Amino acid sequence: MPILEHPAYPPATLLCLESLVPCRESQVSMLLSIFGERQQLSFPSIFIYGHTSSGKTYVMKTLLNTLQLPHVFVNCVECFTSRLLLEEILIQLQNGSSETKQASPVPCDTFNDFVRLFKQALVSQNLQDQTVYVVLDRAEQLREMEANVLPAFLRLQELTDRNVTVILLSEIVWEMFRPNTGCFEPFILYFPDYSIGHLQKILSQNHPPEYSADFYSAYINILLGVFYMVCRDLKELQHLAALNFSKYCEPVVRREAKERDTRKLWKNIEPHLKKAMQTVYLREISSSQWERLQCEEEPGQIKGLSAHAHVELPYYSKFLLIAAYLASYNPVRTDKRFFLKHHGKIKKTNFMKKHEKTSNHLLGPKPFPLDRLLAILYSIVDNRVAPTANIFSQITSLVTLQLLSVVGNNDQLDGPRYKCTVSLDFIRAIARTVNFDIIKYLYDFL
Amino acid sequence: MNKRKLKESSGTDGECISQVQKVLRERLCHHHAMGKLFGMDQQYKHLLELLKQTAVHGESNSALIIGPRGSGKTALLNRALKDLREMKQVKGNLLEVHLNGLLQTNDKVALKEITRQLHLENVVGDKVFGSFAENLVFLLEALRKGDRTSSCPVLFVLDEFDLFVHHKNQTLLYNLFDISQSAQTPVTVIGLTCRQDILELLEKRVKSRFSHRRIYLMNSFAFKQYLRIFKEQLSLPAEFPDKVFAQKWNSNIQLLSEDRTVQDVLQNLFHYSKDLRSLHFLLMLALSNVTVRHPLITASDLQEASKQYRMDSKANIVHGLTVLEICLIIAMKHLNEVYEGEPFNFQMVYNEFQKFIQRKAHCMYNFEKPVVMKAFEHLLQLELVKPIERPSVYPNCPTDVKQWAASSLSWL
């Protein structure tokens, strides 16, 4: 029973369209009824919003191409200035009906020229009696252009006095777009996110012909079970499904299990998927590296981009790093207590009591001047350290390794200020190698 | 024979429905061009008088039409102009220049557009003028035809008038109002704007040349009139080719306007915004459901349209978030409550999340920190979470100065 029906378009085309847009039939049918027949007027502007990979761009493109409606499709991230955007629309209009792509850009600086040239282009392409659709993808970038671009597009039908409808696609809700003095409100349409059933249905459509559909759906089921709580993005899930399928099929290929031995297959694939979540999903390693790893017989150590295994540092550098960490995460007034031999008691003032709650580890590292770093260094290293150029160059190498970072600009008169950018686990590992108990010296752990 | 009869009736219905859609869509979408005016008789008379003074008697004038978005300013003006053009004394005697603040973003472009609309490009040719005023005076001089002592009256319509106010020195406005005060050429300047405080935005010299004539459109109709407008906008005109169907349609509309549920729907919309533009949207949406199988609008069509129109968009977006992202949002809400709206960073949110996982969660798996970071970045991308502006080097900065500093491509 066909879901999409419309008197203006032949039922065969509509049936074809329906097969191309699974789980989006109600949105397509609403769009069809709003568009009406080819020459009928429609809303001057339509705003479609929905999550990433909820099918907005795909459905729009498929709909306009299948029904062969005259349209222009522009991505606002590609054409990031108003001039590029307007020229691209005009070029696509001119190239619309002709087979050969003429790359003759019409210079179009302002929206005023655009309105005039647009009307001329419609006449030259014989499109005056049909609705022309201008689709702007990633429309949130329109807010970054000049202030008149967005309101003018919303009113394009009125400004050009022609049968044109502008369609904006975006992830961000309309309330964030509305200009201060208001504008012509578009018709707002929501593309709901795919439910887990929908995702299952769409992903199972891609099954490779060598295996049965049931086998593949069982695999998709397992994949969704692991990833659904973290990711509902269809494109990401398709990518993960394609990458990991060969691993899933391994037991069947090696004749260790049959297609129906779900438990065995699950035990084989589940740890693999968990590892994928930490690496390929985060783009720590590329998909080609991942595939190579799957082919190897022994499971090797997967090193992501951010797994800095202990960088081997020289002795003084380790202490410099520890001193930097202490300087970043201890407030200045507590230095006396930790690093002097004879210190007095710290009076807990009202100020301190109120801010006891947020530990410094939550707020992030604070910047400190070079002098403080050296002072702490001298106090934590047992033997005497001479302030030679050696020490200073080690500080610079730490900055190059991005374990420290410079704060502020270079022309500060008081001297450079730094910030320590390593995590607690990392610094504890380093401190352990020099037998230094860093926890004793941290204010947050008192 | 029966089949043929059915085919015939469905054939005519198809044609008929298509006709209905065409007529009504044009009426609802092109209301600004040729719509009926509701509740604006006084304003219409005032405007028509004003325009007649210029076109027939050669007096110069200026006026502003002020009203919220969608209240019918363009419709009013277009209707008045249409009636004016049909008057005997005016036929062909009035020149019109239509400018729009969205298109003409600075005075140079505006001047070129004026030249183009007055068809004086050849006359101007490659002349270089010293100032804006000279150029404008030249244009108006060129309009004197033959041995006439005075030229044709010119009507300047400035749409989105509040945008012209932001041009440099308000040159265009100053010159236009100046000419309308000096009795050289009969010129009328009509501005349309949605800002009620437009007069405060004008510079002193511009304001003094403006005649302070204002026409307000306030959407001042009561619900009964709103219902009547609903009926009128949906009824088919008497010239509709298929009289039988038109009769059926119009009596259906009459029934609808008396239906309780339809009145509730309209009441809801009326409470939210009284302007006709929103009503037209609702009617367009209901109209798009009309097909051969469903030839008359029903109350449920209107209810569906109303529901579609009033969806809560943020709730929709939150509906599509993953469980992990919802957990992060809940963690942020907790932080907001505990710390009374103080700003937070990712580490704090992650800590809250960890606390939940360790104490109460049974079905949530403890995700790695980078995975949680990716979810957090997704929330940032959706603009559900926004970074606050740092209090910066210059405290107590006035907001418009701050905004100007932040905008890189400003056309102010």
Side-chain angles (χ1 to χ4, degrees):
Chain A
M1 163 71 194
I3 306 179
L4 297 177
E5 282 185 345
H6 203 272
Y9 309 105
T13 334
L14 288 179
L15 209 54
C16 170
L17 179 62
E18 204 178 309
S19 64
L20 290 171
V21 290
C23 308
R24 279 277 171 253
E25 291 88 6
S26 62
Q27 280 74 38
V28 173
S29 119
M30 164 149 291
L31 280 173
L32 273 180
S33 59
I34 292 173
F35 287 171
E37 296 176 18
R38 271 174 204 276
Q39 72 281 17
Q40 283 174 358
L41 281 175
S42 175
F43 286 109
S45 47
I46 301 177
F47 179 76
I48 301 181
Y49 71 103
H51 277 279
T52 341
S53 312
S54 48
K56 310 179 287 292
T57 317
Y58 173 69
V59 165
M60 218 54 236
K61 272 202 176 137
T62 320
L63 179 66
L64 293 172
N65 282 332
T66 317
L67 298 178
Q68 297 193 333
L69 298 168
H71 67 280
V72 169
F73 203 97
V74 182
N75 190 320
C76 295
V77 172
E78 242 179 76
C79 306
F80 55 93
T81 63
S82 64
R83 184 184 178 144
L84 285 172
L85 181 64
L86 299 174
E87 286 185 359
E88 178 66 25
I89 296 178
L90 291 171
I91 291 179
Q92 282 196 26
L93 258 184
Q94 282 178 343
N95 288 342
S97 49
S98 62
E99 288 299 317
T100 53
K101 301 275 180 194
Q102 306 140 315
S104 50
V106 187
C108 177
D109 259 338
T110 59
F111 217 95
N112 201 16
D113 293 333
F114 174 71
V115 165
R116 217 170 14 115
L117 294 168
F118 187 79
K119 289 199 275 203
Q120 284 174 6
L122 283 186
V123 169
S124 69
Q125 299 288 323
N126 271 334
L127 289 172
Q128 291 118 304
D129 48 347
Q130 296 181 61
T131 318
V132 178
Y133 297 95
V134 178
V135 185
L136 300 174
D137 204 358
R138 302 293 294 275
E140 61 266 15
Q141 301 295 342
L142 287 176
R143 299 177 297 174
E144 317 290 331
M145 299 184 198
E146 287 106 357
N148 68 327
V149 173
L150 180 63
F153 268 119
L154 293 170
R155 279 186 183 265
L156 197 62
Q157 196 181 81
E158 185 185 325
L159 293 174
T160 54
D161 202 21
R162 299 281 181 275
N163 194 354
V164 58
T165 295
V166 175
I167 303 180
L168 303 169
L169 306 174
S170 177
E171 279 180 356
I172 301 188
V173 299
W174 174 249
E175 282 77 20
M176 304 286 194
F177 279 74
R178 197 179 282 140
N180 283 338
T181 48
C183 60
F184 191 97
E185 297 279 323
F187 168 63
I188 301 178
L189 182 60
Y190 173 56
F191 265 46
D193 46 297
Y194 291 116
S195 68
I196 194 165
H198 287 160
L199 284 175
Q200 174 100 19
K201 184 168 162 212
I202 298 178
L203 288 171
S204 310
Q205 279 185 343
N206 298 338
H207 74 267
E210 304 91 56
Y211 296 94
S212 68
D214 289 335
F215 183 63
Y216 197 73
S217 332
Y219 165 61
I220 293 293
N221 220 349
I222 298 178
L223 183 81
L224 283 176
V226 173
F227 280 99
Y228 187 67
M229 274 202 287
V230 170
C231 171
R232 287 193 192 178
D233 188 332
L234 182 62
K235 283 200 277 249
E236 295 240 22
L237 291 171
Q238 275 176 335
H239 183 62
L240 288 164
L243 278 183
N244 294 309
F245 188 57
S246 52
K247 179 79 181 185
Y248 184 72
C249 300
E250 251 182 31
V252 177
V253 167
R254 287 193 288 206
R255 304 206 184 280
E256 288 168 357
K258 296 250 196 349
E259 281 195 8
R260 292 174 186 277
D261 280 338
T262 38
R263 222 189 123 67
K264 259 202 190 149
L265 293 167
W266 183 77
K267 262 184 23 185
N268 177 40
I269 193 69
E270 204 228 1
H272 193 78
L273 288 177
K274 291 252 163 75
K275 236 190 296 186
M277 197 193 297
Q278 292 162 12
T279 49
V280 176
Y281 174 63
L282 298 172
R283 303 291 187 277
E284 293 269 322
I285 68 177
S286 71
S287 7
S288 54
Q289 274 176 308
W290 180 251
E291 285 176 337
R292 232 178 300 136
L293 250 124
Q294 287 181 64
C295 298
E296 280 169 17
E297 281 303 320
E298 318 94 42
Q301 178 58 246
I302 301 180
K303 269 203 207 167
L305 284 172
S306 57
H308 287 247
H310 302 293
V311 184
E312 275 310 312
L313 292 171
Y315 184 73
Y316 280 133
S317 285
K318 289 188 192 167
F319 275 105
L320 269 171
L321 195 59
I322 294 172
Y325 192 83
L326 292 172
S328 281
Y329 285 99
N330 282 345
V332 185
R333 52 191 162 71
T334 57
D335 280 351
K336 222 169 58 158
R337 182 189 181 283
F338 284 118
F339 304 115
L340 285 186
K341 292 268 181 319
H342 303 288
H343 58 86
K345 275 203 280 222
I346 304 182
K347 293 198 203 99
K348 285 198 177 176
T349 58
N350 272 340
F351 178 78
M352 268 171 60
K353 277 205 194 120
K354 219 189 309 177
H355 289 254
E356 214 81 72
K357 288 181 273 191
T358 41
S359 83
N360 284 324
H361 277 82
L362 284 181
L363 293 174
K366 303 254 174 33
F368 54 85
L370 180 63
D371 302 330
R372 187 167 165 225
L373 172 66
L374 292 176
I376 297 181
L377 179 70
Y378 297 153
S379 84
I380 60 179
V381 176
D382 293 333
N383 32 1
R384 294 196 53 159
V385 185
T388 57
N390 202 358
I391 300 287
F392 290 119
S393 70
Q394 289 189 13
I395 297 179
T396 318
S397 356
L398 284 177
V399 172
T400 321
L401 284 172
Q402 295 189 348
L403 298 171
L404 288 186
S405 67
V406 182
V407 175
N409 43 8
N410 282 331
D411 48 337
Q412 268 182 337
L413 296 174
D414 302 336
R417 292 165 68 86
Y418 298 97
K419 198 154 77 162
C420 184
T421 55
V422 298
S423 64
L424 183 60
D425 298 324
F426 189 80
I427 203 72
R428 278 171 79 171
I430 294 218
R432 221 175 297 134
T433 65
V434 289
N435 282 332
F436 183 80
D437 185 4
I438 193 164
I439 299 295
K440 240 182 357 172
Y441 286 84
L442 280 172
Y443 178 62
D444 290 327
F445 293 98
L446 266 185
Chain B
M1 223 251 308
N2 267 342
K3 256 201 202 162
R4 207 195 321 146
K5 247 197 184 165
L6 269 174
K7 260 209 188 130
E8 272 177 15
S9 63
S10 71
T12 44
D13 269 336
E15 263 296 305
C16 187
I17 295 288
S18 156
Q19 215 28 35
V20 168
Q21 289 264 6
K22 179 164 166 302
V23 166
L24 287 180
R25 274 173 192 240
E26 262 191 47
R27 185 191 289 172
L28 295 174
C29 287
H30 276 182
H31 179 77
H32 60 87
M34 45 173 153
K36 274 193 267 216
L37 301 177
F38 300 101
M40 304 182 198
D41 301 319
Q42 213 183 12
Q43 290 98 331
Y44 173 72
K45 278 205 204 81
H46 186 178
L47 186 60
L48 195 60
E49 263 313 303
L50 207 110
L51 292 173
K52 242 173 40 175
Q53 297 284 49
T54 309
V56 180
H57 305 288
E59 282 180 16
S60 289
N61 252 318
S62 52
L64 276 181
I65 306 181
I66 305 176
R69 297 248 174 220
S71 49
K73 307 181 283 293
T74 319
L76 173 67
L77 184 64
N78 283 336
R79 180 58 178 283
L81 285 178
K82 185 163 140 274
D83 290 341
L84 190 71
R85 280 184 222 122
E86 283 167 8
M87 282 189 200
K88 253 195 308 177
Q89 308 110 306
V90 179
K91 264 209 170 76
N93 201 24
L94 180 67
L95 288 170
E96 293 176 34
V97 175
H98 290 264
L99 299 176
N100 191 313
L102 289 176
L103 297 179
Q104 282 87 43
T105 45
N106 65 28
D107 293 332
K108 235 177 38 181
V109 181
L111 200 52
K112 266 216 294 253
E113 186 64 26
I114 297 177
T115 319
R116 200 179 299 130
Q117 289 195 20
L118 290 174
H119 305 296
L120 290 176
E121 291 108 315
N122 300 330
V123 178
V124 168
D126 283 328
K127 279 206 174 62
V128 174
F129 295 98
S131 75
F132 190 97
E134 273 182 34
N135 199 343
L136 197 56
V137 164
F138 177 79
L139 287 177
L140 292 173
E141 282 290 318
L143 291 175
R144 289 171 189 250
K145 289 190 222 173
D147 57 347
R148 302 260 307 264
T149 46
S150 68
S151 67
C152 270
V154 188
L155 173 65
F156 286 94
V157 175
L158 280 77
D159 217 339
E160 312 278 349
F161 187 80
D162 45 293
L163 295 178
F164 285 106
V165 157
H166 293 306
H167 292 183
K168 187 160 173 283
N169 287 340
Q170 300 184 356
T171 330
L172 175 71
L173 294 181
Y174 173 71
N175 283 299
L176 283 178
F177 284 144
D178 197 32
I179 291 187
S180 78
Q181 294 285 38
S182 62
Q184 297 273 344
T185 337
V187 153
T188 295
V189 182
I190 310 261
L192 291 90
T193 177
C194 65
R195 290 188 68 155
Q196 305 278 345
D197 60 344
I198 185 71
L199 285 182
E200 271 115 58
L201 295 173
L202 293 174
E203 271 184 28
K204 205 167 75 131
R205 54 179 191 153
V206 180
K207 201 154 137 183
S208 62
R209 282 167 175 76
F210 173 53
S211 73
H212 285 245
R213 202 166 297 193
R214 283 158 290 173
I215 301 176
Y216 285 101
L217 294 176
M218 283 301 175
N219 286 332
S220 51
F221 28 74
F223 186 63
K224 264 222 198 80
Q225 199 180 4
Y226 195 73
L227 265 181
R228 230 178 312 133
I229 296 176
F230 160 75
K231 230 180 3 179
E232 269 205 57
Q233 292 290 68
L234 275 185
S235 304
L236 291 174
E239 309 88 49
F240 194 72
D242 187 342
K243 304 271 188 242
V244 170
F245 186 77
Q247 179 70 14
K248 241 193 323 175
W249 177 274
N250 288 344
S251 44
N252 179 44
I253 299 295
Q254 175 67 31
L255 278 177
L256 277 182
S257 66
E258 289 156 9
D259 186 328
R260 190 71 249 179
T261 41
V262 172
Q263 285 188 355
D264 278 340
V265 163
L266 291 175
Q267 183 82 284
N268 265 330
L269 185 61
F270 186 71
H271 285 316
Y272 177 66
S273 92
K274 272 177 165 188
D275 59 84
L276 293 184
R277 191 177 281 169
S278 339
L279 181 63
H280 289 162
F281 259 36
L282 189 75
L283 298 181
M284 260 289 275
L285 212 47
L287 179 68
S288 57
N289 285 334
V290 167
T291 60
V292 177
R293 294 237 179 102
H294 183 86
L296 299 172
I297 299 186
T298 58
S300 63
D301 280 338
L302 284 164
Q303 269 182 322
E304 277 299 312
S306 168
K307 225 173 16 155
Q308 170 81 22
Y309 191 69
R310 294 167 62 201
M311 273 199 303
D312 181 355
S313 42
K314 280 231 171 93
N316 282 335
I317 288 285
V318 169
H319 183 271
L321 294 176
T322 65
V323 179
L324 181 57
E325 286 157 3
I326 294 277
C327 286
L328 288 180
I329 291 190
I330 297 174
M332 287 188 242
K333 266 209 75 70
H334 277 301
L335 280 176
N336 259 345
E337 277 165 15
V338 172
Y339 294 108
E340 282 148 24
E342 288 271 321
F344 50 81
N345 60 18
F346 173 66
Q347 187 64 35
M348 293 196 219
V349 177
Y350 185 63
N351 261 38
E352 276 290 320
F353 177 65
Q354 292 284 70
K355 279 198 263 189
F356 165 67
I357 295 280
Q358 279 151 15
R359 277 183 298 157
K360 294 192 193 155
H362 305 293
C363 53
M364 277 293 285
Y365 169 65
N366 188 5
F367 295 104
E368 302 277 314
K369 193 164 175 193
V371 179
V372 181
M373 184 69 180
K374 185 160 174 167
F376 189 73
E377 282 174 353
H378 188 223
L379 288 177
L380 276 176
Q381 193 194 351
L382 287 174
E383 293 195 10
L384 288 173
V385 181
K386 263 186 159 175
I388 55 164
E389 282 134 26
R390 309 218 110 247
S392 89
V393 185
Y394 191 75
N396 301 327
C397 191
T399 28
D400 39 5
V401 179
K402 229 196 303 196
Q403 282 172 354
W404 177 44
S407 70
S408 51
L409 287 171
S410 86
W411 54 302
L412 283 169

